[in-house]
């Protein structure tokens, strides 16, 4: 049994199934790397909150879809890019340990909530190539550790916040 497994890496293969819900029972898992496959389905049936030690989840570059689910607050690195996820990204703003958040190249829509300021540890935010609209919240100036901010190829409008870091 994999109950004591801390890391699973099945990345860069030709896997084409759904992610089995039973993976949510791996309470000791710290890293789950499934990127660059052809995985389908949504994440609905996976009990991510039970995975309280999960720090890194890489499911980018697949064919996953659906809305965001409840992820464990232990996550430091979350990569959902290049899939077909939709809905709002705001449910991720309670993951206050995140350092890297990649939700690029999906179909996320809506505005970027001012609650983004809760991501105090965040260094990388890649939310480009979605359908995000509205203005860039002035609260981004509270992201003191931000090094990479990609919001290109969305439907954002308004002005560039003067508080944005110069680099």
């Amino acid at each position: 049994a994999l109950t004591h497994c801390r890391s699973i890496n099945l990345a860069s293969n030709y896997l084409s199934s759904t992610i089995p819900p039973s993976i949510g029972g791996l309470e000791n898992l710290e890293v789950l790397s499934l990127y660059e496959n052809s995985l389908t389905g949504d994440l609905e049936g996976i009990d991510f909150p039970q995975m309280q030690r999960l720090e890194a989840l890489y499911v980018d570059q697949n064919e996953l879809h659906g809305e965001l689910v409840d992820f464990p607050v232990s996550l430091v690195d979350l990569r959902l890019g290049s899939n077909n996820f939709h809905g709002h990204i705001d449910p991720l703003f309670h993951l206050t340990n995140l350092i890297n958040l990649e939700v690029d190249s999906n179909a996320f829509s809506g505005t970027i909530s001012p609650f983004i300021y809760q991501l105090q540890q965040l260094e990388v935010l890649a939310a480009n190539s979605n359908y995000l609209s509205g203005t860039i919240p002035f609260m981004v100036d509270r992201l003191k550790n931000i090094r990479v901010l990609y919001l290109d190829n969305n439907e954002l409008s308004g002005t560039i916040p003067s508080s944005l870091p110069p680099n």
Side-chain angles (χ1 to χ4, degrees):
L2 297 174
T3 55
H4 299 291
C5 189
R6 293 181 183 252
S7 181
I8 295 177
N9 187 344
L10 299 173
S12 301
N13 280 294
Y14 300 100
L15 303 176
S16 58
S17 64
T18 59
I19 301 172
S22 58
I23 211 154
L26 301 178
E27 296 177 12
N28 292 310
L29 202 61
E30 296 172 5
V31 178
L32 178 57
S33 185
L34 302 172
Y35 69 89
E36 210 173 277
N37 278 291
S38 296
L39 297 172
T40 59
D42 58 36
L43 303 177
E44 287 288 324
I46 303 169
D47 190 4
F48 283 109
Q50 184 176 321
M51 303 172 76
Q52 296 179 10
R53 293 189 175 139
L54 190 65
E55 294 183 1
L57 176 61
Y58 309 130
V59 294
D60 46 317
Q61 301 179 52
N62 278 289
E63 297 169 21
L64 298 168
H65 63 271
E67 293 193 15
L68 294 175
V69 296
D70 195 16
F71 293 107
V73 294
S74 56
L75 279 175
V76 173
D77 194 348
L78 178 58
R79 300 182 191 188
L80 303 173
S82 298
N83 279 291
N84 295 305
F85 291 115
H86 63 273
H88 297 275
I89 61 172
D90 293 0
L92 301 175
F93 296 166
H94 79 282
L95 302 175
T96 55
N97 293 312
L98 280 177
I99 293 174
N100 188 64
L101 175 57
E102 298 178 18
V103 294
D104 56 296
S105 303
N106 278 289
F108 290 114
S109 60
T111 60
I112 302 171
S113 165
F115 289 108
I116 193 169
Y117 80 88
Q118 295 177 129
L119 303 179
Q120 290 295 304
Q121 307 302 317
L122 198 64
E123 294 179 8
V124 175
L125 173 59
N128 51 297
S129 301
N130 281 290
Y131 300 98
L132 300 175
S133 60
T135 60
I136 300 169
F138 70 92
M139 301 301 264
V140 294
D141 72 338
R142 294 200 184 164
L143 301 176
K144 300 297 183 198
N145 293 320
I146 199 80
R147 294 181 184 169
V148 176
L149 179 63
Y150 291 150
L151 297 174
D152 54 295
N153 293 314
N154 278 293
E155 298 173 356
L156 298 169
S157 59
T159 60
I160 298 171
S162 58
S163 60
L164 275 180
N167 291 328

